[in-house]
Amino acid sequence: MVRAAMWEANMRSVFAALAVLCATACATGPDLTPKSGIPVDATSVVYKDHTYTAGDHVRIRQTAGTFKPKDTGNVIDIRAETGRTGIVLGGMKSTNPESADDPIQILLVRFDPQMWHDTSSSQAEVALEPFEATIHADYMEALPKPAK
């Protein structure tokens, strides 16, 4: 009888700890701190008819040039191709603004691990781990928010 009571008390403690752990896991989202050390100037960017906010899931909607080895860790440039996905970390001011009042239009995105093509003559397919790079908001589109 005493063992059963002790077991029951222990199980209540275990279930309470699991409930706290699950609540914490559900309440926190992805870490939006740039691992690249690139500072962001804003947590949201309004561009045309959309507001991009840190934490938004996005994809490249239109081919946007290349990402450099310093960003990707690959040995040569990677093509910024349509359909590649990531998460917005924030917005950055342009390095060459036309005026001090220019709106922020550059997004810092942590791209998901996925297949990319390099810029070699064979355009080899390359599997990359997550990396962070800047891209103009005009080349991006927001993905639908996940259902809760």
Side-chain angles (χ1 to χ4, degrees), residues 52 56-62 81-88 107 109 111-112 114 116 135-144:
Y52 295 94
D56 285 353
H57 293 269
V58 292
R59 81 174 136 228
I60 300 175
R61 69 171 187 82
Q62 175 183 339
E81 300 171 304
T82 303
R84 301 309 187 266
T85 59
I87 187 168
V88 174
L107 300 175
V109 176
F111 286 96
D112 300 325
Q114 57 201 310
W116 298 79
I135 188 167
H136 195 281
D138 197 38
Y139 295 106
M140 303 302 289
E141 65 183 348
L143 294 173

Side-chain angles (χ1 to χ4, degrees), residues 74-140:
N74 195 47
V75 294
I76 63 174
D77 290 2
I78 295 296
R79 292 175 47 213
E81 300 171 304
T82 303
R84 301 309 187 266
T85 59
I87 187 168
V88 174
L89 301 178
M92 301 175 58
K93 294 179 181 171
S94 173
T95 55
N96 300 328
E98 291 181 17
S99 78
D101 297 332
D102 278 357
I104 294 175
Q105 299 177 355
I106 307 296
L107 300 175
L108 178 62
V109 176
R110 180 178 300 138
F111 286 96
D112 300 325
Q114 57 201 310
M115 299 302 288
W116 298 79
H117 290 99
D118 67 23
T119 57
S120 66
S121 59
S122 67
Q123 294 184 9
E125 198 169 53
V126 180
L128 293 180
E129 292 300 313
F131 68 90
E132 296 172 7
T134 57
I135 188 167
H136 195 281
D138 197 38
Y139 295 106
M140 303 302 289

